[in-house]
Amino acid sequence: MISVVIGGGTMGAGVAHLFLAGGHEVVLVEAGAERASAARRAVEASLAKAADRGRLEAVPHELLKHLTVVERLDDVAAGASLVVEAVPEDVELKRQVLKAAANACPDAVLASNTSSLSISALAEGLPGERVLGMHFFNPVPVQQLVELVLHDGVSADVVARVRGWAEALGKTVIEVRDAPGFATSRLGVAVGMEAIRMLEEGVASAEDIDTGMRLGYGWPMGPLRLTDLVGLDVRLAIAEHLAAELGPRFEPPALLRDKVAAGHLGRKTGQGFFTW
Ligand SMILES: NC(=O)c1ccc[n+]([C@@H]2O[C@H](COP(=O)([O-])OP(=O)(O)OC[C@H]3O[C@@H](n4cnc5c(N)ncnc54)[C@H](O)[C@@H]3O)[C@@H](O)[C@H]2O)c1
């Protein structure tokens, strides 16, 4: 099958890797020549890393024969069955990209990898029966979950097809109604915000809050370290969105705002709740 991935950043490169490893023909769309070659290098590096770790059955350079990187959607994608957009978290940009995909790929399912935006809002003006959220997790080739986000207008046939594709790629699927933050972001942010409030109130140290959840509740990593990995700015934006949609229980703590204002964004800047 032909799958199109729009946006070749962190998530798009991972999705392209996953689809190649699953035997898809992949068309990866990136804006501009420089970013297109960076996206190709990211997919190459991701496949090479998986091969080194024994997590890839095929040889990377064989898989890469099935990757086409383009700067615009064109005829190469007309026969696509699936489009996944992974451009930055901006409603207008995502709408624009999905609209172009709906025209260029008349038979394709149109999936958004948004981690927080309303799928109904993204589907406005599009053939809604073939639009849904297909939320992957970072790093895409490794993380087990795909969260399908279903707005009222999506067809049951499209949901069944996407579930089948995701399961064939080795993923476990959950289905969630199109509600703010879906299931994962909503719960993840709720715990993350509470952990930051506890730190603010001096209940325990960052290390001890995280150790509590790791060893007491079997979390692979504590909520503060996870916030550092995701990026404090990214988490702040999602919390603000959830507070606007769901009420003050998601209001971001002052400590989070202060750290973002100081440029302490987590692992990517070397400093967040921990020093990296
Ligand atoms: N990073 C994560 O952990 C994560 C997890 C789940 C979901 N998401 C979601 O995935 C999406 C992408 O996130 P990311 O972290 O990969 O972002 P990113 O910034 O790493 O990548 C986005 C890419 O899209 C490209 N792009 C921008 N406009 C484009 C256009 N018109 N056409 C083609 N490409 C274009 C950019 O050049 C960039 O390479 C967002 O909606 C985000 O919320 C991210």
Side-chain angles (χ1 to χ4, degrees):
M1 78 186 253
I2 303 176
S3 298
V4 175
V5 180
I6 307 179
T10 306
M11 296 304 287
V15 173
H17 165 161
L18 177 73
F19 288 172
L20 288 167
H24 299 203
E25 292 293 325
V26 177
V27 179
L28 178 59
V29 188
E30 248 298 345
E34 215 167 279
R35 286 196 270 176
S37 41
R40 174 178 283 281
R41 286 197 301 277
V43 179
E44 287 169 358
S46 180
L47 287 170
K49 188 169 162 189
D52 282 350
R53 296 188 175 179
R55 289 200 312 254
L56 195 66
E57 281 171 25
V59 183
H61 82 262
E62 288 299 326
L63 294 181
L64 288 165
K65 290 179 185 163
H66 302 277
L67 174 68
T68 311
V69 183
V70 297
E71 289 170 49
R72 314 171 25 93
L73 266 184
D74 50 21
D75 292 346
V76 82
S81 305
L82 172 63
V83 175
V84 176
E85 74 72 19
V87 299
E89 195 78 339
D90 172 319
V91 182
E92 284 316 314
L93 175 63
K94 285 187 187 284
R95 275 205 184 123
Q96 184 192 320
V97 156
L98 286 168
K99 197 169 190 104
N103 294 330
C105 312
D107 301 319
V109 171
L110 305 168
S112 171
N113 184 46
T114 176
S115 31
S116 67
L117 299 173
S118 154
I119 300 299
S120 328
L122 292 179
E124 259 172 47
L126 293 176
E129 68 284 356
R130 55 184 174 115
V131 177
L132 82 177
M134 190 175 190
H135 185 196
F136 291 91
F137 294 78
N138 188 19
V140 179
V142 176
Q143 295 278 33
Q144 189 70 44
L145 184 67
V146 174
E147 182 177 41
L148 297 186
V149 184
L150 313 179
H151 73 116
D152 290 344
V154 68
S155 85
D157 167 60
V158 162
V159 178
R161 260 189 284 161
V162 176
R163 172 182 278 277
W165 291 328
E167 288 177 349
L169 293 165
K171 300 300 186 194
T172 298
V173 171
I174 61 170
E175 289 182 17
V176 180
R177 196 163 55 80
D178 183 24
F182 321 137
T184 52
S185 301
R186 181 163 165 176
L187 273 178
V189 168
V191 176
M193 292 305 123
E194 204 53 37
I196 298 167
R197 269 189 281 271
M198 286 162 61
L199 186 64
E200 211 170 47
E201 292 166 13
V203 174
S205 68
E207 196 65 58
D208 283 358
I209 290 169
D210 272 15
T211 302
M213 295 313 281
R214 274 194 308 110
L215 301 187
Y217 275 64
W219 285 34
M221 150 186 342
L224 295 169
R225 190 167 295 272
L226 181 61
T227 303
D228 270 10
L229 280 186
V230 171
L232 274 64
D233 51 336
V234 174
R235 279 241 146 154
L236 174 60
I238 299 177
E240 282 173 336
H241 168 71
L242 291 178
E245 296 288 329
L246 296 172
R249 66 188 189 276
F250 284 97
E251 199 53 55
L255 179 60
L256 178 60
R257 292 189 187 282
D258 291 349
K259 282 190 177 287
V260 171
H264 296 160
L265 306 182
R267 186 174 64 169
K268 61 189 168 191
T269 61
Q271 184 65 49
F273 294 104
F274 298 93
T275 302
W276 293 81

